[in-house]
């Protein structure tokens, strides 16, 4: 048909004038990004839940209070969901049970945590079409990244609140911090195989996605969590949190991949040139 042929010509002309469109389409369709995002969300959930119990068992009261305030700020918790969080992170009358659950939680968290780090590493490597780094080079990076991520979560309360000044500073500050986190995340987990500047588009997209989803979470999650708790109990809480993690991890996966394509294709590649050769070995640093 004539209109089909016309659309095909327009597509061909667009790809010739803007090759980034063709490369971006091919990458998004071929990389199974939704599957990668779902696997990343599952690993994040498996790492975060036991880690939460471990923090509740062993962390000082100040750290637990800070984590509770940050999670309240991140999800806008109210009502029953806020009470559930307070019960987990609050003081327990049975210290023996608390320490036992904490030891189990810490053990499971340590086992699953590296799986989360490895999943994030695979997302970055696939986005930049790089081979896997050697375990000796990457292992310590997985642990450092996870510890830094815990620190970022702990500080989300003050950051999103603009350190007491309100959303007018909290929102841009959250974007800046998130952009820095995703810039450093890519550089660390890729073992320095990509220079800092080409990583910037993915970091900016990741920061924008994180900030937008953070604002959405404070509007949507309180009612969703309380409704899920009322209707399905703890299982509803788990399903709601897992669904939110899938959205967040999917957005980050797309952001990193799109950023890599933008950095490698015209016109940005003229300004964001990659100095190392793509096939070179990762630096052992």
């Amino acid at each position: 048909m004539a209109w089909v042929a016309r659309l095909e010509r327009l597509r061909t002309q667009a790809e010739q004038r803007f090759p980034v469109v063709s490369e971006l389409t091919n990458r998004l369709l071929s990389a199974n990004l939704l599957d990668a995002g779902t696997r990343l969300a599952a690993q994040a959930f498996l790492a975060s839940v036991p880690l939460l119990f471990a923090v509740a068992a062993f962390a000082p009261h100040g750290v637990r209070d800070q984590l509770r305030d940050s999670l309240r700020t991140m999800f806008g918790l109210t009502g029953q969901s806020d009470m559930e969080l307070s019960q987990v992170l609050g003081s327990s009358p049975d210290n023996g049970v608390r320490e036992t659950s904490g030891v189990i939680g810490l053990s499971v968290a340590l086992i699953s945590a590296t799986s989360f780090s490895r999943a994030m590493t695979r997302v970055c490597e696939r986005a930049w079409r790089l081979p896997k780094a050697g375990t000796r080079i990457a292992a310590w990076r997985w642990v450092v990244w996870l510890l830094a991520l815990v620190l970022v979560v702990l500080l989300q309360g003050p950051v999103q609140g603009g350190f007491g000044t309100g959303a007018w500073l909290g929102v841009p500050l959250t974007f800046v911090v998130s952009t820095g986190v995703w810039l450093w995340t890519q550089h660390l987990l890729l073992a320095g195989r990509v220079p800092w500047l080409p990583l910037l588009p993915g970091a900016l997209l990741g920061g924008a996605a994180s900030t937008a989803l953070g604002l959405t979470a404070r509007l949507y999650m309180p009612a969703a969590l309380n409704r899920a708790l009322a209707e399905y109990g703890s299982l509803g809480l788990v399903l709601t949190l897992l669904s939110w993690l899938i959205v967040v991890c999917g957005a980050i996966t797309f952001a990193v991949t799109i950023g890599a394509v933008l950095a490698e294709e015209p016109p940005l590649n003229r300004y964001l040139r990659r100095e190392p050769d793509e096939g070179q070995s990762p630096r052992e640093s």
Side-chain angles (χ1 to χ4, degrees), residues 150-167:
V150 172
L151 180 61
V152 170
V153 172
L154 281 172
L155 296 177
Q156 282 302 295
V159 169
Q160 293 190 15
F163 292 95
T165 61

Side-chain angles (χ1 to χ4, degrees), residues 101-235:
S101 62
V103 170
I104 296 174
L106 182 60
S107 302
V108 175
L110 291 175
I111 294 172
S112 59
T114 55
S115 298
F116 179 34
S117 301
R118 290 198 303 270
M120 189 67 228
T121 302
R122 286 195 294 270
V123 167
C124 296
E125 288 174 341
R126 288 172 181 171
W128 288 95
R129 295 179 296 184
L130 292 172
K132 290 183 179 180
T135 302
R136 182 171 62 87
I137 298 172
W140 67 268
R141 299 173 190 270
W142 300 336
V143 177
V144 170
W145 180 73
L146 189 72
L147 294 176
L149 195 62
V150 172
L151 180 61
V152 170
V153 172
L154 281 172
L155 296 177
Q156 282 302 295
V159 169
Q160 293 190 15
F163 292 95
T165 61
W168 70 270
L169 179 61
V171 173
L173 188 59
T174 299
F175 171 72
V176 171
V177 171
S178 298
T179 299
V181 167
W182 295 119
L183 180 66
W184 176 77
T185 290
Q186 293 179 85
H187 192 267
L188 178 75
L189 296 182
L190 290 174
R193 287 175 286 177
V194 179
W196 289 98
L197 197 56
L199 300 173
L200 187 57
L204 289 170
L205 291 173
S210 299
T211 304
L213 289 171
L215 293 173
T216 304
R218 280 183 274 177
L219 297 175
Y220 168 75
M221 291 297 284
L225 289 171
N226 289 330
R227 184 171 58 251
L229 275 169
E231 294 180 359
Y232 305 107
S234 299
L235 179 60

Side-chain angles (χ1 to χ4, degrees), residues 75-93:
F75 297 107
L77 298 179
T78 58
Q80 184 62 33
S81 58
D82 188 29
M83 292 175 60
E84 292 286 336
L85 178 64
S86 297
Q87 288 179 2
V88 172
L89 293 176
S91 59
S92 172

Side-chain angles (χ1 to χ4, degrees), residues 56-57 64 88-92 94-103:
R64 301 206 314 259
V88 172
L89 293 176
S91 59
S92 172
D94 192 341
N95 291 329
V97 173
R98 186 185 187 87
E99 291 181 3
T100 300
S101 62
V103 170

